[in-house]
Amino acid sequence: MRRPTSQEPSAQSRQVEAEASDGEGGRDVGTTQQDTAPVPVLSKKTKQPMECFLVQPKETKEDATKTKKRRKKKITDILAKSEPKPGTPEDLQKLMKDYYSSSRSVIELEELKLPDSCFLKSNDLTHSLSSYLKEICPKWVKLRKNHTEKKSVLMLIICSSAIRALELMRSMTAFRGDSKVMKLFAKHIKVQEQVKLLEKRAVHLAVGTPGRIKELVKQGGLDLNPLKFLVFDWNWRDQKLRRMMDIPEIRKEVFELLEMGVLSLCKSESLKLGLF
């Protein structure tokens, strides 16, 4: 009598199937892990942006010095390092040309040019005021004795300020002698008072600022026709190392004064110019 055949697989076949399924399963799992990489989960709380502070490098002393030099470089610093040079007639001619070049034609500029013959010898920075005046005007005593006209002067010295005018008056004692000297500046003195003084007596020598002198000429208190010597305090420098013609206001007033009869007197050779 036959035994019924068992439908169950044998132990050997089951082992082969298990190994096959394990091999296929291993490959499938590996492939799945590579294809589906884990995605990071975002936090529900949003992070606040953090402030960033840039720390600037500390400035060294050398950098600070360089910065200061660039910012505070002035004409005073340049003049302090440069050697002083005496003024020349060419300096005045050049200043006049630069001043009028924007408002005058070429022909008018030529007419403003001063003849070389009207210039006296300039101070070479070795003279005091008295010694310089004696050199340019050796016959001063005779000239002042013959001068009797009122509202006029024989010699006029122009400077930048009232304080400087007083210094010049004290420094020319050896030259002026018995000459009648007058201060022509605005500090503590009204124009009308100066007009009255000029009308009372003949004045030989005057020291003043261009603004006040110009005003006196404008009002008729000072006649420039008898003037023989006009001296500019050219080389002196103030605390900021500026000469009188380096100051824009003074330069403007000087040129305006020159146009009030001085230029014509120089061209007629009745007036001489000096640069002290």
Side-chain angles (χ1 to χ4, degrees):
M1 186 172 177
R2 288 184 181 180
R3 293 180 181 178
T5 56
S6 176
Q7 299 295 326
E8 295 179 0
S10 63
Q12 186 176 2
S13 61
R14 285 197 301 271
Q15 185 177 359
V16 172
E17 290 176 359
E19 290 175 358
S21 62
D22 290 342
E24 292 175 358
R27 284 192 298 273
D28 292 339
V29 171
T31 304
T32 304
Q33 288 177 352
Q34 289 178 1
D35 294 342
T36 59
V39 179
V41 179
L42 295 175
S43 175
K44 292 182 180 180
K45 295 182 179 180
T46 58
K47 295 182 179 180
Q48 297 293 331
M50 298 179 66
E51 295 183 359
C52 296
F53 297 94
L54 297 176
V55 180
Q56 295 182 353
K58 293 183 178 180
E59 190 179 32
T60 61
K61 291 183 179 180
E62 294 180 358
D63 295 336
T65 305
K66 290 179 181 178
T67 305
K68 287 180 181 179
K69 285 183 178 179
R70 285 195 298 268
R71 290 177 183 175
K72 296 185 178 181
K73 193 172 183 180
K74 297 180 181 179
I75 189 172
T76 306
D77 302 326
I78 299 172
L79 292 172
K81 295 179 181 179
S82 62
E83 294 182 1
K85 295 180 180 179
T88 61
E90 289 75 17
D91 294 337
L92 178 57
Q93 300 275 31
K94 184 178 183 303
L95 282 176
M96 289 183 64
K97 185 177 180 181
D98 294 342
Y99 181 80
Y100 290 111
S101 59
S102 60
S103 59
R104 304 294 175 93
S105 64
V106 177
I107 298 175
E108 289 174 331
L109 289 175
E110 285 295 323
E111 291 176 352
L112 289 172
K113 188 175 181 181
L114 294 167
D116 295 336
S117 58
C118 76
F119 286 99
L120 298 164
K121 184 179 179 181
S122 300
N123 179 22
D124 58 359
L125 304 182
T126 61
H127 284 284
S128 65
L129 181 57
S130 288
S131 65
Y132 176 71
L133 296 179
K134 286 179 180 179
E135 182 174 341
I136 64 173
C137 185
K139 298 181 180 180
W140 173 250
V141 176
K142 184 178 179 179
L143 280 173
R144 68 179 176 83
K145 284 182 178 180
N146 296 330
H147 178 68
T148 57
E149 296 182 46
K150 297 178 181 179
K151 299 174 61 175
S152 65
V153 295
L154 278 176
M155 181 180 290
L156 185 58
I157 301 173
I158 298 179
C159 58
S160 58
S161 66
I163 296 175
R164 178 58 180 166
L166 295 174
E167 291 177 356
L168 291 172
M169 291 181 71
R170 288 193 293 266
S171 65
M172 64 181 181
T173 306
F175 170 78
R176 69 183 188 182
D178 298 330
S179 304
K180 302 296 182 182
V181 183
M182 188 170 176
K183 301 174 287 188
L184 299 180
F185 49 75
K187 193 171 184 180
H188 308 307
I189 306 174
K190 295 180 180 180
V191 179
Q192 296 302 322
E193 293 178 4
Q194 292 172 335
V195 171
K196 290 178 181 179
L197 289 173
L198 288 166
E199 289 175 347
K200 284 182 179 179
R201 60 181 182 179
V203 179
H204 306 117
L205 179 59
V207 184
T209 54
R212 176 48 61 92
I213 295 169
K214 185 183 70 172
E215 188 63 27
L216 288 168
V217 174
K218 186 178 179 181
Q219 293 192 17
L222 179 63
D223 182 13
L224 295 178
N225 289 319
L227 185 64
K228 299 301 179 185
F229 300 94
L230 179 61
V231 179
F232 293 101
D233 185 30
W234 190 275
N235 296 299
W236 181 80
R237 297 181 184 272
D238 60 12
Q239 292 181 350
K240 296 181 181 179
L241 300 178
R242 300 175 302 177
R243 298 171 301 179
M244 62 175 290
M245 297 301 279
D246 294 329
I247 305 171
E249 297 82 4
I250 300 296
R251 183 168 61 246
K252 178 176 179 292
E253 290 174 342
V254 166
F255 290 136
E256 289 176 353
L257 177 61
L258 291 180
E259 288 192 278
M260 298 176 73
V262 174
L263 292 176
S264 58
L265 291 173
C266 290
K267 291 179 181 180
S268 65
E269 298 188 358
S270 63
L271 175 62
K272 302 294 183 181
L273 300 180
L275 305 180
F276 171 65

